[in-house]
């Protein structure tokens, strides 16, 4: 006991700071966590990130008048994120995004399923087979052990194949759909069952349009994410937080009821640590067994400018075809206007699908869109970017391993959650905000939303 007290005293004497809480990670989950901690009464919060920027995996890349980013992230004006950081709202760009997909038949059509193009266009014989397959799956394929079986139950094996949904699931998650966990399918793929409902199908056959969203869709500022998250950081700095970015963390020790984080020969002593960084990285810092089975996707983003006929009107296109490594493209110039008289867009590729090669990724994209009659004209690669730990790979059993890791971290005294810290795929800032609030909420002071 005396040795522990002495080590704490030694750490405090060399500490650059002594704080109430440390937040690991400065992405949306980390920023919201700092806000919630401030609401709960913490007055000295240090937000630390080994990235040199705010925003976590919200990363942009600029060249001249072009600004690109990883993914096509869309915010809403009723997001709970704005309850923590209302300063962000005037910085967003209002947009009216439209989603479509390239299907295996080479058509740009409705996302995620088109009754007209995926079913009726197949002809009367194949349409009958698709409907019979769907009915058979509903009646006799109720056992669902993975994502493929989940999707097959709701739309049938023939439509699963013809629509390209099975190919897209493999492309998105980086592994075959029959190796993707059923837990993920149930949590994050409920849209399949919703779109496969009888009411939805009949509504499409009657050509009734879905109700327009009541919220306003928003995009990041044209200048990039730095402008957006600087406002959030200023808000937190005025309340309770300080930031250490580009900080190489050496290790974390627990001494008594306190934590000591060591970085570059200095120490920060804290009563509490909240983590939103990848679980294996945190385990290594705490000298705990590292969960090797928790794999993540590495994304390759390709950034193009274009002059010519692109072959579609929508802003976001998903690749549901059988070929092509790319999974989604986003037309930034539709949101922000052309640059140098040219359209510009970003393309996401699972890096392992092209051997982590920019040249292979570019060549594959060019060949695939040319074969489908898209981007006829001057297509120019402006830049590219890799993103490690983009999102979890949900092999069967991964969620159980993640849950055990989070439990062990909790026993150590660290609260770990979020896309990275909880190995939990979070598609929007709204979801990240809600889950961070739920993980940290003090029921007496933070009302449920």
């Amino acid at each position: 006991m005396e040795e522990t007290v002495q080590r704490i005293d030694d750490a405090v004497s060399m500490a650059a700071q002594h704080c109430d809480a440390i937040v690991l990670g400065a992405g949306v989950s980390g920023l919201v966590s700092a806000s919630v901690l401030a609401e709960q009464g913490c007055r000295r919060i240090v937000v630390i990130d080994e990235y040199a920027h705010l925003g976590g995996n919200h990363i942009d890349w600029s060249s001249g008048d072009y600004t690109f980013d990883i993914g096509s992230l869309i915010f809403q004006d009723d997001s709970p994120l704005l309850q923590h950081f209302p300063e962000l709202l005037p910085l967003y760009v209002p947009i009216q995004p439209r989603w479509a997909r390239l299907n295996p038949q080479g058509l740009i059509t409705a996302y995620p399923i088109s009754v007209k193009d995926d079913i009726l266009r197949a002809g009367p014989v194949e349409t009958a087979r698709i409907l019979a397959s769907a009915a058979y799956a509903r009646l006799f394929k109720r056992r669902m052990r993975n994502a493929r079986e989940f999707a097959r139950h709701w739309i049938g094996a023939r439509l699963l194949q013809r629509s390209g949904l099975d190919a897209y699931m493999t492309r998105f998650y980086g592994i075959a759909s029959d190796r993707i966990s059923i837990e993920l399918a149930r949590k994050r793929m409920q849209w399949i069952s919703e779109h496969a409902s009888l009411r939805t199908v009949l509504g499409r056959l009657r050509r009734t349009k879905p109700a327009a969203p009541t919220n306003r869709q928003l995009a990041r500022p044209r200048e990039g994410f730095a402008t957006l998250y600087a406002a959030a950081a200023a808000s937190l700095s005025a309340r309770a937080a300080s930031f250490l970015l580009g900080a190489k963390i050496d290790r974390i020790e627990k001494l008594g009821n306190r934590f000591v984080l060591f970085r570059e020969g200095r120490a920060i002593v804290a009563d509490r640590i909240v983590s939103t960084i990848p679980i294996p990285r945190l385990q290594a810092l705490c000298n705990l067994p590292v969960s090797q089975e928790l794999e993540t996707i590495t994304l390759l983003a390709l950034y193009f400018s274009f002059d010519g006929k692109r072959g579609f009107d929508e802003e976001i296109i998903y690749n549901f075809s059988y070929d092509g490594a790319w999974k989604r493209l986003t037309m930034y110039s539709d949101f922000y206007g052309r640059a140098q008289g040219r359209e510009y867009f970003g393309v996401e590729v699972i890096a392992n699908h092209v051997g982590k090669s920019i040249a292979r990724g570019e060549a594959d994209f060019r060949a695939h869109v040319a074969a489908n009659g898209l981007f006829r004209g001057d297509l120019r690669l402006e830049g590219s970017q890799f993103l490690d730990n983009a999102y979890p790979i949900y092999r069967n059993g991964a969620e159980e391993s993640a849950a055990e890791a989070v439990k062990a971290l909790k026993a150590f005294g660290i609260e770990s959650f979020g896309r990275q810290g909880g190995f939990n795929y979070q598609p929007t800032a709204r979801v990240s905000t809600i889950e961070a609030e739920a993980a940290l909420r003090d029921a007496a002071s933070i009302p449920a939303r």
Side-chain angles (χ1 to χ4, degrees):
M1 180 66 181
E2 291 181 0
E3 181 182 354
T4 298
V5 172
Q6 183 60 51
R7 292 181 69 190
I8 294 174
D9 291 340
D10 291 343
V12 170
S13 67
M14 66 180 288
Q17 291 167 285
H18 179 198
C19 60
D20 296 328
I22 292 173
V23 176
L24 299 177
V28 170
S29 294
L31 296 173
V32 170
S33 295
S35 178
V36 173
L37 290 170
E39 292 178 26
Q40 292 178 337
C42 291
R43 289 294 171 261
R44 293 167 297 176
I45 302 168
V46 180
V47 181
I48 304 176
D49 204 315
E50 294 186 323
Y51 281 160
H53 64 270
L54 296 164
N57 282 354
H58 293 174
I59 304 172
D60 50 59
W61 183 89
S62 298
S63 176
D65 294 332
Y66 301 112
T67 301
F68 306 89
D69 60 63
I70 297 281
S72 56
L73 190 83
I74 296 176
F75 302 83
Q76 294 84 30
D77 64 356
D78 62 349
S79 170
L81 178 65
L82 294 173
Q83 297 185 35
H84 292 276
F85 306 111
E87 304 86 358
L88 303 186
L89 183 57
L91 300 176
Y92 290 123
V93 175
I95 59 174
Q96 294 181 320
R98 293 167 295 173
W99 294 264
R101 70 190 226 282
L102 175 63
N103 76 1
Q105 293 75 46
L107 299 174
I108 297 292
T109 187
Y111 170 83
I113 294 289
S114 167
V115 172
K116 175 184 175 183
D117 293 327
D118 294 322
I119 301 177
L120 301 181
R121 191 183 282 265
V125 174
E126 183 60 22
T127 295
R129 289 172 176 166
I130 289 172
L131 296 177
S133 172
Y136 176 82
R138 292 286 185 92
L139 291 172
F140 301 109
K141 295 294 182 181
R142 298 183 179 184
R143 185 180 183 186
M144 293 176 278
R145 296 163 295 184
N146 53 61
R148 179 181 294 171
E149 292 180 353
F150 177 85
R152 182 186 63 187
H153 169 76
W154 286 105
I155 65 176
R158 297 191 80 93
L159 183 55
L160 178 63
Q161 178 70 9
R162 177 175 168 80
S163 68
L165 175 58
D166 190 57
Y168 179 74
M169 286 193 294
T170 298
R171 189 175 287 115
F172 185 89
Y173 292 109
I175 56 176
S177 60
D178 61 355
R179 298 172 66 192
I180 301 170
S181 74
I182 185 61
E183 290 80 9
L184 174 72
R186 286 176 173 146
K187 287 198 304 184
R188 300 302 184 197
M189 296 169 62
Q190 286 298 331
W191 57 268
I192 295 176
S193 58
E194 293 167 2
H195 283 270
S197 70
L198 181 61
R199 178 182 297 178
T200 300
V201 172
L202 291 176
R204 290 189 175 190
L205 290 173
R206 293 195 300 266
R207 296 185 178 181
T208 57
K209 294 183 178 180
T214 57
N215 54 7
R216 196 168 44 140
Q217 306 295 295
L218 308 167
R220 56 147 172 90
R222 192 189 194 286
E223 299 78 15
F225 285 116
T227 301
L228 190 69
Y229 291 117
S235 170
L236 288 172
S237 296
R239 286 186 273 169
S242 60
F243 292 84
L244 291 174
L245 303 179
K248 181 66 172 68
I249 305 171
D250 298 318
R251 68 186 188 279
I252 296 171
E253 292 186 10
K254 187 175 184 183
L255 302 176
N257 293 324
R258 290 179 174 176
F259 297 92
V260 184
L261 181 146
F262 295 90
R263 55 172 290 271
E264 300 171 0
R266 304 300 301 275
I268 302 174
V269 177
D271 299 323
R272 184 177 185 183
I273 290 183
V274 168
S275 177
T276 66
I277 67 174
I279 290 173
R281 174 61 178 147
L282 178 60
Q283 290 171 321
L285 289 173
C286 297
N287 197 31
L288 296 173
V290 175
S291 301
Q292 301 291 343
E293 64 276 15
L294 299 183
E295 306 168 86
T296 57
I297 290 289
T298 296
L299 280 183
L300 167 62
L302 301 172
Y303 302 136
F304 291 95
S305 68
F306 176 70
D307 184 30
K309 295 183 179 180
R310 75 193 203 198
F312 58 90
D313 297 323
E314 295 82 1
E315 290 77 24
I316 301 169
I317 303 295
Y318 294 87
N319 179 18
F320 274 52
S321 69
Y322 303 142
D323 302 315
W326 67 279
K327 68 183 186 71
R328 180 175 63 189
L329 68 83
T330 304
M331 299 298 305
Y332 297 117
S333 51
D334 286 5
F335 299 151
Y336 307 112
R338 296 189 177 212
Q340 304 173 24
R342 297 171 66 85
E343 296 182 278
Y344 61 101
F345 62 97
V347 175
E348 285 186 4
V349 181
I350 303 298
N352 287 345
H353 290 178
V354 292
K356 296 188 176 181
S357 166
I358 295 169
R360 280 182 57 184
E362 178 188 3
D364 178 87
F365 178 75
R366 287 182 179 275
H368 189 244
V369 296
N372 286 277
L374 306 178
F375 295 108
R376 293 178 175 175
D378 179 21
L379 182 61
R380 184 185 305 165
L381 183 68
E382 299 289 347
S384 60
Q385 198 170 18
F386 284 98
L387 175 63
D388 295 326
N389 299 313
Y391 50 86
I393 297 175
Y394 286 97
R395 295 186 190 274
N396 287 316
E399 282 199 321
E400 291 84 352
S401 297
E404 287 298 318
V406 170
K407 183 179 178 181
L409 288 166
K410 185 176 181 181
F412 185 73
I414 293 180
E415 302 148 276
S416 186
F417 52 82
R419 173 182 285 200
Q420 308 290 349
F423 202 74
N424 187 10
Y425 176 65
Q426 297 176 336
T428 64
R430 178 191 298 274
V431 173
S432 296
T433 299
I434 292 171
E435 293 193 9
E437 290 176 335
L440 295 174
R441 182 177 296 122
D442 179 345
S445 60
I446 310 294
R449 296 189 180 121

